Coordinates of all heavy atoms in Angstrom, one line a residue:
M1 N -16.1 7.5 10.6 CA -14.7 6.9 10.4 C -13.8 7.9 9.9 O -14.1 8.7 9.0 CB -14.8 5.7 9.5 CG -13.4 5.1 9.2 SD -13.5 3.5 8.3 CE -13.9 2.4 9.6
T2 N -12.6 8.0 10.5 CA -11.6 8.9 10.1 C -10.6 8.2 9.2 O -10.6 7.0 9.1 CB -10.8 9.5 11.3 OG1 -10.1 8.4 11.9 CG2 -11.7 10.1 12.3
C3 N -9.7 9.0 8.6 CA -8.7 8.4 7.7 C -7.8 7.4 8.5 O -7.4 6.3 8.0 CB -7.8 9.5 7.1 SG -8.7 10.5 5.9
T4 N -7.5 7.8 9.7 CA -6.7 6.9 10.6 C -7.4 5.6 10.9 O -6.8 4.5 10.8 CB -6.4 7.6 12.0 OG1 -5.9 8.9 11.7 CG2 -5.4 6.8 12.8
D5 N -8.7 5.7 11.2 CA -9.5 4.5 11.4 C -9.5 3.6 10.1 O -9.3 2.4 10.2 CB -11.0 4.8 11.7 CG -11.1 5.5 13.1 OD1 -10.2 5.3 13.9 OD2 -12.1 6.3 13.2
F6 N -9.7 4.3 9.0 CA -9.7 3.6 7.7 C -8.4 2.8 7.5 O -8.4 1.6 7.2 CB -9.9 4.6 6.6 CG -9.7 4.0 5.2 CD1 -10.6 3.2 4.6 CD2 -8.4 4.2 4.5 CE1 -10.4 2.6 3.4 CE2 -8.2 3.6 3.3 CZ -9.2 2.8 2.7
L7 N -7.3 3.5 7.7 CA -6.0 2.9 7.5 C -5.7 1.7 8.4 O -5.1 0.7 8.1 CB -4.9 3.9 7.7 CG -4.8 5.0 6.5 CD1 -3.8 6.1 6.9 CD2 -4.4 4.3 5.2
S8 N -6.2 1.8 9.6 CA -6.0 0.7 10.6 C -6.8 -0.5 10.2 O -6.5 -1.6 10.6 CB -6.4 1.2 12.0 OG -7.8 1.4 12.1
Q9 N -7.9 -0.3 9.4 CA -8.7 -1.4 8.9 C -8.3 -2.0 7.6 O -8.8 -3.0 7.1 CB -10.2 -1.0 8.8 CG -10.8 -0.5 10.1 CD -10.8 -1.5 11.2 OE1 -10.8 -2.7 11.0 NE2 -10.7 -1.1 12.4
L10 N -7.3 -1.3 7.0 CA -7.0 -1.6 5.6 C -6.5 -3.0 5.4 O -7.0 -3.7 4.4 CB -5.9 -0.6 5.1 CG -5.8 -0.5 3.6 CD1 -7.0 -0.1 2.9 CD2 -4.7 0.5 3.2
T11 N -5.6 -3.5 6.3 CA -5.1 -4.9 6.0 C -6.2 -5.9 6.3 O -6.3 -6.9 5.6 CB -3.9 -5.2 6.9 OG1 -4.2 -4.7 8.3 CG2 -2.7 -4.4 6.4
D12 N -7.0 -5.7 7.3 CA -8.1 -6.6 7.6 C -9.1 -6.6 6.4 O -9.6 -7.7 6.0 CB -8.9 -6.2 8.9 CG -8.1 -6.5 10.1 OD1 -7.1 -7.3 10.0 OD2 -8.5 -6.1 11.2
Y13 N -9.3 -5.4 5.8 CA -10.2 -5.3 4.7 C -9.6 -6.2 3.5 O -10.4 -7.0 2.9 CB -10.2 -3.8 4.2 CG -11.0 -3.6 3.0 CD1 -12.4 -3.4 3.0 CD2 -10.4 -3.5 1.7 CE1 -13.1 -3.2 1.9 CE2 -11.1 -3.3 0.6 CZ -12.5 -3.1 0.7 OH -13.2 -2.9 -0.5
F14 N -8.3 -6.1 3.3 CA -7.8 -6.9 2.2 C -7.7 -8.4 2.5 O -7.8 -9.2 1.6 CB -6.4 -6.4 1.8 CG -6.5 -5.2 0.9 CD1 -6.0 -3.9 1.3 CD2 -7.0 -5.2 -0.4 CE1 -6.2 -2.8 0.5 CE2 -7.1 -4.1 -1.2 CZ -6.7 -2.9 -0.7
D15 N -7.6 -8.7 3.8 CA -7.6 -10.1 4.2 C -8.9 -10.7 4.3 O -9.1 -11.9 4.4 CB -6.9 -10.2 5.6 CG -5.4 -10.0 5.6 OD1 -4.9 -10.1 4.5 OD2 -4.8 -9.7 6.6
G16 N -10.0 -9.8 4.1 CA -11.3 -10.3 4.2 C -11.7 -10.6 5.6 O -12.7 -11.3 5.9
Q17 N -11.0 -10.1 6.6 CA -11.2 -10.4 8.0 C -11.9 -9.2 8.7 O -11.4 -8.6 9.7 CB -9.9 -10.7 8.7 CG -9.3 -12.0 8.3 CD -8.0 -12.3 8.9 OE1 -7.4 -11.3 9.4 NE2 -7.5 -13.5 8.7
I18 N -13.0 -8.7 8.1 CA -13.6 -7.5 8.6 C -15.1 -7.8 8.7 O -15.7 -8.4 7.8 CB -13.2 -6.3 7.7 CG1 -13.7 -5.0 8.2 CG2 -13.8 -6.5 6.3 CD1 -13.1 -3.8 7.5
D19 N -15.7 -7.4 9.8 CA -17.2 -7.7 9.9 C -18.0 -6.8 9.1 O -17.5 -5.7 8.6 CB -17.6 -7.8 11.3 CG -17.6 -6.5 12.1 OD1 -18.0 -5.5 11.5 OD2 -17.1 -6.5 13.2
A20 N -19.2 -7.2 8.8 CA -20.1 -6.5 7.9 C -20.3 -5.0 8.3 O -20.3 -4.1 7.4 CB -21.4 -7.2 7.7
E21 N -20.4 -4.8 9.5 CA -20.7 -3.4 10.0 C -19.5 -2.5 9.7 O -19.7 -1.4 9.3 CB -21.0 -3.5 11.5 CG -21.6 -2.2 12.1 CD -21.9 -2.3 13.6 OE1 -22.2 -3.4 14.1 OE2 -21.7 -1.3 14.2
L22 N -18.3 -3.0 10.0 CA -17.1 -2.3 9.8 C -16.9 -2.1 8.3 O -16.4 -1.0 7.9 CB -15.9 -3.0 10.4 CG -14.8 -2.2 10.9 CD1 -15.2 -1.0 11.8 CD2 -13.8 -3.1 11.7
L23 N -17.2 -3.1 7.5 CA -17.0 -3.0 6.1 C -17.9 -1.9 5.5 O -17.4 -1.1 4.7 CB -17.4 -4.4 5.4 CG -17.3 -4.5 3.9 CD1 -15.8 -4.3 3.5 CD2 -17.8 -5.8 3.4
A24 N -19.1 -1.8 6.0 CA -20.0 -0.7 5.6 C -19.4 0.7 5.9 O -19.4 1.6 5.1 CB -21.3 -0.8 6.2
E25 N -18.8 0.8 7.1 CA -18.1 2.0 7.5 C -16.9 2.4 6.6 O -16.7 3.5 6.2 CB -17.6 2.0 8.9 CG -18.8 2.1 9.9 CD -18.2 2.3 11.4 OE1 -17.2 3.0 11.6 OE2 -18.7 1.5 12.2
V26 N -16.1 1.3 6.3 CA -15.0 1.5 5.4 C -15.4 2.0 4.0 O -14.9 2.9 3.5 CB -14.2 0.2 5.3 CG1 -13.2 0.2 4.1 CG2 -13.4 -0.1 6.6
Q27 N -16.5 1.3 3.5 CA -16.9 1.7 2.2 C -17.5 3.1 2.2 O -17.4 3.8 1.2 CB -18.0 0.6 1.7 CG -17.2 -0.7 1.3 CD -18.2 -1.8 1.0 OE1 -19.3 -1.8 1.5 NE2 -17.7 -2.8 0.3
G28 N -18.2 3.4 3.3 CA -18.8 4.8 3.4 C -17.7 5.8 3.4 O -17.8 6.9 2.8
H29 N -16.6 5.5 4.1 CA -15.4 6.4 4.2 C -14.8 6.6 2.8 O -14.5 7.7 2.4 CB -14.4 6.0 5.2 CG -13.3 7.0 5.3 ND1 -13.4 8.1 6.1 CD2 -12.1 7.0 4.8 CE1 -12.3 8.8 6.0 NE2 -11.4 8.2 5.2
I30 N -14.6 5.5 2.1 CA -14.0 5.6 0.8 C -14.9 6.4 -0.2 O -14.4 7.2 -1.0 CB -13.9 4.1 0.2 CG1 -12.9 3.3 1.0 CG2 -13.4 4.2 -1.3 CD1 -13.1 1.8 0.8
A31 N -16.2 6.3 0.0 CA -17.1 7.1 -0.9 C -17.0 8.6 -0.7 O -17.1 9.4 -1.6 CB -18.5 6.6 -0.7
E32 N -16.6 8.9 0.6 CA -16.6 10.4 0.9 C -15.2 10.9 0.8 O -15.0 12.1 0.7 CB -17.0 10.6 2.4 CG -18.5 10.3 2.6 CD -18.9 10.4 4.0 OE1 -18.0 10.6 4.9 OE2 -20.1 10.1 4.3
C33 N -14.2 10.1 1.0 CA -12.8 10.6 1.1 C -12.0 10.2 -0.1 O -11.7 9.0 -0.3 CB -12.1 10.0 2.4 SG -10.4 10.6 2.6
H34 N -11.6 11.2 -0.9 CA -10.9 10.9 -2.1 C -9.5 10.3 -1.8 O -9.1 9.4 -2.5 CB -10.7 12.2 -2.9 CG -9.9 12.0 -4.2 ND1 -10.4 11.3 -5.3 CD2 -8.7 12.5 -4.5 CE1 -9.5 11.3 -6.2 NE2 -8.4 12.0 -5.8
H35 N -8.9 10.8 -0.8 CA -7.5 10.3 -0.5 C -7.5 8.8 -0.2 O -6.7 8.0 -0.7 CB -6.9 11.0 0.7 CG -6.6 12.4 0.3 ND1 -5.5 12.7 -0.4 CD2 -7.2 13.6 0.6 CE1 -5.4 14.0 -0.6 NE2 -6.4 14.6 0.0
C36 N -8.5 8.4 0.6 CA -8.5 7.0 1.0 C -9.0 6.1 -0.2 O -8.6 5.0 -0.3 CB -9.4 6.8 2.2 SG -8.7 7.4 3.7
H37 N -9.8 6.7 -1.0 CA -10.2 6.0 -2.3 C -9.0 5.7 -3.1 O -8.8 4.6 -3.6 CB -11.2 6.8 -3.0 CG -11.7 6.2 -4.3 ND1 -12.8 5.3 -4.2 CD2 -11.3 6.2 -5.5 CE1 -13.0 4.8 -5.4 NE2 -12.1 5.4 -6.3
V38 N -8.1 6.7 -3.3 CA -6.9 6.6 -4.1 C -6.0 5.5 -3.4 O -5.4 4.7 -4.1 CB -6.2 7.9 -4.2 CG1 -4.8 7.8 -4.8 CG2 -7.0 8.9 -5.1
V39 N -5.9 5.6 -2.1 CA -5.0 4.7 -1.3 C -5.5 3.3 -1.6 O -4.7 2.4 -1.8 CB -5.1 5.0 0.2 CG1 -4.4 3.9 1.0 CG2 -4.4 6.3 0.5
L40 N -6.8 3.1 -1.5 CA -7.4 1.7 -1.6 C -7.1 1.2 -3.0 O -6.6 0.1 -3.2 CB -8.9 1.8 -1.4 CG -9.5 0.4 -1.4 CD1 -9.2 -0.3 -0.1 CD2 -11.1 0.6 -1.4
D41 N -7.2 2.1 -4.0 CA -7.0 1.7 -5.4 C -5.5 1.3 -5.6 O -5.2 0.3 -6.2 CB -7.3 2.9 -6.3 CG -8.5 2.7 -7.2 OD1 -9.4 1.9 -6.7 OD2 -8.5 3.2 -8.3
T42 N -4.6 2.2 -5.1 CA -3.2 2.0 -5.3 C -2.8 0.8 -4.6 O -2.0 0.0 -5.1 CB -2.5 3.3 -4.7 OG1 -3.0 4.4 -5.2 CG2 -1.0 3.2 -5.0
T43 N -3.3 0.5 -3.4 CA -2.9 -0.6 -2.6 C -3.4 -1.9 -3.3 O -2.6 -2.9 -3.4 CB -3.5 -0.6 -1.2 OG1 -3.2 0.7 -0.6 CG2 -3.0 -1.7 -0.3
K44 N -4.6 -1.9 -3.8 CA -5.1 -3.0 -4.6 C -4.1 -3.4 -5.8 O -3.8 -4.5 -6.0 CB -6.5 -2.7 -5.2 CG -7.6 -3.2 -4.4 CD -8.9 -2.8 -5.2 CE -10.1 -2.9 -4.3 NZ -11.3 -2.3 -4.9
Q45 N -3.7 -2.3 -6.5 CA -2.9 -2.5 -7.6 C -1.5 -3.1 -7.2 O -0.9 -3.9 -7.8 CB -2.6 -1.2 -8.4 CG -3.9 -0.8 -9.2 CD -3.8 0.6 -9.7 OE1 -2.7 1.2 -9.9 NE2 -4.9 1.2 -10.1
T46 N -1.0 -2.5 -6.0 CA 0.3 -3.0 -5.5 C 0.2 -4.5 -5.1 O 1.0 -5.3 -5.5 CB 0.6 -2.2 -4.2 OG1 0.6 -0.8 -4.5 CG2 2.0 -2.6 -3.7
I47 N -0.9 -4.8 -4.5 CA -1.1 -6.2 -4.1 C -1.2 -7.1 -5.3 O -0.7 -8.2 -5.3 CB -2.4 -6.4 -3.2 CG1 -2.0 -5.7 -1.8 CG2 -2.8 -7.8 -3.0 CD1 -3.2 -5.6 -0.9
E48 N -1.9 -6.7 -6.4 CA -2.0 -7.4 -7.6 C -0.6 -7.7 -8.1 O -0.3 -8.9 -8.6 CB -2.8 -6.7 -8.7 CG -4.3 -6.5 -8.3 CD -5.0 -7.9 -8.2 OE1 -4.8 -8.8 -9.0 OE2 -5.8 -8.0 -7.2
V49 N 0.2 -6.7 -8.2 CA 1.6 -6.8 -8.7 C 2.3 -7.9 -7.9 O 3.0 -8.8 -8.4 CB 2.3 -5.5 -8.7 CG1 3.8 -5.7 -8.9 CG2 1.7 -4.6 -9.7
Y50 N 2.2 -7.8 -6.5 CA 2.9 -8.7 -5.7 C 2.4 -10.1 -5.9 O 3.2 -11.1 -5.9 CB 2.7 -8.3 -4.2 CG 3.8 -7.3 -3.7 CD1 3.4 -5.9 -3.8 CD2 5.0 -7.6 -3.3 CE1 4.4 -4.9 -3.4 CE2 5.9 -6.7 -2.9 CZ 5.6 -5.4 -2.9 OH 6.5 -4.4 -2.5
R51 N 1.1 -10.2 -6.1 CA 0.5 -11.6 -6.2 C 1.0 -12.2 -7.5 O 1.3 -13.4 -7.6 CB -1.0 -11.5 -6.2 CG -1.5 -11.5 -4.8 CD -3.0 -11.5 -4.7 NE -3.5 -11.6 -3.4 CZ -4.7 -11.1 -3.0 NH1 -5.5 -10.6 -3.8 NH2 -5.0 -11.2 -1.7
D52 N 1.1 -11.3 -8.6 CA 1.5 -11.8 -9.9 C 3.0 -12.4 -9.8 O 3.3 -13.4 -10.5 CB 1.5 -10.7 -10.9 CG 0.1 -10.4 -11.4 OD1 -0.8 -11.1 -11.0 OD2 -0.1 -9.3 -12.0
N53 N 3.7 -11.8 -8.9 CA 5.1 -12.3 -8.7 C 5.2 -13.3 -7.6 O 6.3 -13.7 -7.2 CB 6.0 -11.1 -8.4 CG 6.2 -10.2 -9.7 OD1 6.7 -10.6 -10.7 ND2 5.6 -9.0 -9.6
E54 N 4.1 -13.7 -7.0 CA 4.1 -14.6 -5.9 C 4.9 -14.2 -4.7 O 5.6 -15.1 -4.1 CB 4.4 -16.0 -6.4 CG 3.4 -16.6 -7.4 CD 3.7 -18.0 -7.9 OE1 4.7 -18.5 -7.5 OE2 2.9 -18.5 -8.6
I55 N 5.0 -12.9 -4.5 CA 5.8 -12.5 -3.3 C 4.9 -11.6 -2.5 O 5.3 -10.6 -1.9 CB 7.1 -11.7 -3.7 CG1 6.8 -10.7 -4.8 CG2 8.1 -12.7 -4.2 CD1 7.9 -9.7 -4.9
Y56 N 3.6 -11.9 -2.5 CA 2.6 -11.1 -1.7 C 3.0 -11.1 -0.3 O 3.0 -12.2 0.4 CB 1.2 -11.7 -1.9 CG 0.2 -11.1 -1.0 CD1 -0.1 -9.8 -1.0 CD2 -0.6 -11.9 -0.2 CE1 -1.0 -9.2 -0.2 CE2 -1.6 -11.4 0.6 CZ -1.8 -10.0 0.6 OH -2.7 -9.5 1.4
D57 N 3.2 -9.9 0.2 CA 3.6 -9.8 1.6 C 3.3 -8.4 2.1 O 4.0 -7.5 1.8 CB 5.1 -10.1 1.9 CG 5.5 -10.0 3.3 OD1 4.6 -9.9 4.2 OD2 6.7 -9.9 3.6
F58 N 2.1 -8.2 2.7 CA 1.7 -6.9 3.1 C 2.4 -6.6 4.5 O 1.8 -6.8 5.5 CB 0.2 -6.9 3.2 CG -0.4 -5.5 3.1 CD1 -0.4 -4.9 1.9 CD2 -0.9 -4.8 4.2 CE1 -0.9 -3.6 1.7 CE2 -1.4 -3.5 4.1 CZ -1.4 -2.9 2.8
S59 N 3.6 -6.3 4.4 CA 4.5 -6.2 5.6 C 4.2 -5.0 6.4 O 3.6 -4.0 5.9 CB 5.9 -6.1 5.1 OG 6.1 -4.9 4.4
P60 N 4.5 -5.0 7.7 CA 4.3 -3.8 8.6 C 5.0 -2.6 8.0 O 4.5 -1.5 8.1 CB 4.9 -4.3 9.9 CG 4.9 -5.7 9.9 CD 5.1 -6.1 8.4
E61 N 6.1 -2.8 7.3 CA 6.9 -1.7 6.8 C 6.1 -1.0 5.7 O 6.0 0.2 5.6 CB 8.2 -2.2 6.2 CG 9.2 -1.0 5.9 CD 10.1 -1.3 4.7 OE1 10.4 -2.5 4.4 OE2 10.4 -0.4 4.0
L62 N 5.5 -1.8 4.8 CA 4.6 -1.3 3.7 C 3.4 -0.5 4.3 O 3.1 0.6 3.9 CB 4.2 -2.4 2.8 CG 3.2 -2.0 1.7 CD1 3.8 -0.9 0.8 CD2 2.8 -3.2 0.9
Q63 N 2.9 -1.1 5.3 CA 1.7 -0.5 6.0 C 2.1 0.8 6.6 O 1.4 1.8 6.4 CB 1.2 -1.4 7.2 CG 0.5 -2.6 6.8 CD 0.0 -3.4 8.0 OE1 -0.5 -2.9 8.9 NE2 0.3 -4.7 8.0
S64 N 3.2 0.9 7.2 CA 3.6 2.2 7.9 C 4.0 3.2 6.8 O 3.7 4.4 7.0 CB 4.7 2.0 8.9 OG 5.9 1.5 8.3
R65 N 4.6 2.8 5.7 CA 4.9 3.7 4.6 C 3.6 4.3 4.0 O 3.5 5.5 3.8 CB 5.7 3.0 3.6 CG 7.2 3.4 3.7 CD 7.9 3.0 2.4 NE 7.9 1.5 2.3 CZ 8.0 0.8 1.1 NH1 8.1 1.5 0.0 NH2 8.0 -0.5 1.1
L66 N 2.6 3.4 3.8 CA 1.3 3.8 3.2 C 0.7 4.8 4.2 O 0.2 5.9 3.8 CB 0.4 2.6 3.1 CG 0.6 1.8 1.8 CD1 -0.2 0.6 1.9 CD2 0.1 2.7 0.6
H67 N 0.7 4.5 5.5 CA 0.1 5.3 6.5 C 0.7 6.7 6.5 O 0.0 7.7 6.5 CB 0.2 4.6 7.8 CG -0.5 5.3 9.0 ND1 0.1 6.3 9.7 CD2 -1.7 5.1 9.4 CE1 -0.8 6.7 10.6 NE2 -1.9 6.0 10.5
A68 N 2.0 6.7 6.5 CA 2.7 8.0 6.5 C 2.4 8.9 5.3 O 2.1 10.1 5.4 CB 4.2 7.8 6.6
T69 N 2.3 8.2 4.2 CA 2.0 8.9 2.9 C 0.6 9.5 3.0 O 0.4 10.7 2.7 CB 2.2 8.0 1.7 OG1 3.4 7.5 1.7 CG2 1.9 8.8 0.4
I70 N -0.3 8.7 3.4 CA -1.7 9.2 3.4 C -2.0 10.3 4.4 O -2.6 11.2 4.1 CB -2.7 8.0 3.7 CG1 -2.5 6.8 2.8 CG2 -4.1 8.5 3.6 CD1 -1.8 7.0 1.5
M71 N -1.4 10.0 5.6 CA -1.7 11.0 6.6 C -1.0 12.4 6.2 O -1.6 13.4 6.5 CB -1.1 10.5 7.9 CG -1.9 9.3 8.5 SD -3.7 9.4 8.4 CE -4.0 10.7 9.6
S72 N 0.1 12.4 5.6 CA 0.7 13.6 5.2 C -0.1 14.3 4.1 O -0.3 15.5 4.1 CB 2.2 13.5 4.7 OG 2.2 12.8 3.5
R73 N -0.7 13.5 3.2 CA -1.6 14.1 2.2 C -2.8 14.7 2.8 O -3.3 15.7 2.4 CB -2.0 13.0 1.2 CG -0.8 12.8 0.2 CD -1.3 11.8 -0.9 NE -0.2 11.4 -1.7 CZ -0.2 10.4 -2.6 NH1 -1.3 9.8 -2.8 NH2 0.9 10.1 -3.3
C74 N -3.4 14.0 3.8 CA -4.6 14.5 4.4 C -4.3 15.8 5.1 O -5.1 16.7 5.1 CB -5.1 13.4 5.5 SG -5.9 12.0 4.7
R75 N -3.1 15.9 5.7 CA -2.8 17.1 6.4 C -2.6 18.3 5.4 O -3.0 19.4 5.6 CB -1.5 16.9 7.2 CG -1.8 16.3 8.6 CD -0.6 16.5 9.5 NE 0.5 15.6 9.1 CZ 0.6 14.3 9.5 NH1 -0.3 13.8 10.3 NH2 1.6 13.6 9.1
E76 N -2.1 17.9 4.2 CA -1.9 19.0 3.2 C -3.2 19.6 2.8 O -3.4 20.7 2.6 CB -1.2 18.3 1.9 CG 0.3 18.2 2.1 CD 0.8 17.4 0.9 OE1 0.2 17.3 -0.2 OE2 1.9 16.8 1.1
V77 N -4.2 18.7 2.7 CA -5.6 19.1 2.2 C -6.1 20.1 3.3 O -6.7 21.1 3.0 CB -6.5 17.9 2.0 CG1 -7.9 18.4 1.9 CG2 -6.0 17.1 0.8
K78 N -6.0 19.7 4.5 CA -6.5 20.5 5.6 C -6.0 22.0 5.6 O -6.7 22.9 6.0 CB -6.3 19.9 7.0 CG -7.3 18.8 7.3 CD -7.0 18.1 8.6 CE -7.9 16.9 8.8 NZ -7.4 16.0 9.8
V79 N -4.7 22.1 5.3 CA -4.2 23.5 5.4 C -4.4 24.3 4.2 O -4.2 25.5 4.2 CB -2.6 23.5 5.7 CG1 -2.4 22.9 7.1 CG2 -1.9 22.7 4.6
R80 N -4.9 23.7 3.1 CA -5.2 24.5 1.9 C -6.4 25.4 2.1 O -7.3 25.0 2.8 CB -5.5 23.5 0.8 CG -4.2 23.4 -0.1 CD -4.5 22.3 -1.2 NE -3.2 21.7 -1.5 CZ -3.1 20.5 -2.1 NH1 -4.1 19.8 -2.3 NH2 -1.9 20.0 -2.3
Ligands
ZN101 ZN1 -9.9 9.2 4.4

């Protein structure tokens, strides 16, 4: 699984709409990839905050912003 694959599964992961095989791949990727681990942590915290305020809405805009941030970080790592 690549970071892109991971990100594309992220919303399903949080929705609990992910099958066991894919879940194992996602968890495997998180274990290996620090960036995606941080993303998952940050996203969890973000969702908690939204839920506390009862305005939970994992919008496409938020998804694309997260995606852009992570992918740029991944690229930074590669060129180092
Ligand atoms: Zn990753």
Side-chain angles (χ1 to χ4, degrees):
M1 175 169 280
T2 65
C3 294
T4 309
D5 294 335
F6 169 79
L7 289 170
S8 70
Q9 300 301 330
L10 197 58
T11 47
D12 285 347
Y13 176 85
F14 281 113
D15 286 343
Q17 292 174 348
I18 189 166
D19 66 46
E21 197 181 323
L22 210 49
L23 182 63
E25 281 189 47
V26 166
Q27 287 172 336
H29 183 79
I30 296 160
E32 289 173 4
C33 180
H34 177 68
H35 289 285
C36 289
H37 183 85
V38 170
V39 169
L40 189 70
D41 248 33
T42 309
T43 308
K44 262 184 198 165
Q45 286 169 21
T46 306
I47 289 173
E48 292 299 318
V49 168
Y50 275 95
R51 277 185 178 153
D52 286 349
N53 290 295
E54 295 182 356
I55 51 167
Y56 172 56
D57 180 16
F58 205 74
S59 67
E61 193 213 331
L62 176 59
Q63 284 179 50
S64 62
R65 257 192 296 153
L66 275 169
H67 186 272
T69 304
I70 307 340
M71 292 317 287
S72 70
R73 283 187 190 169
C74 287
R75 277 193 289 272
E76 280 170 26
V77 169
K78 277 179 190 165
V79 295
R80 260 174 211 158

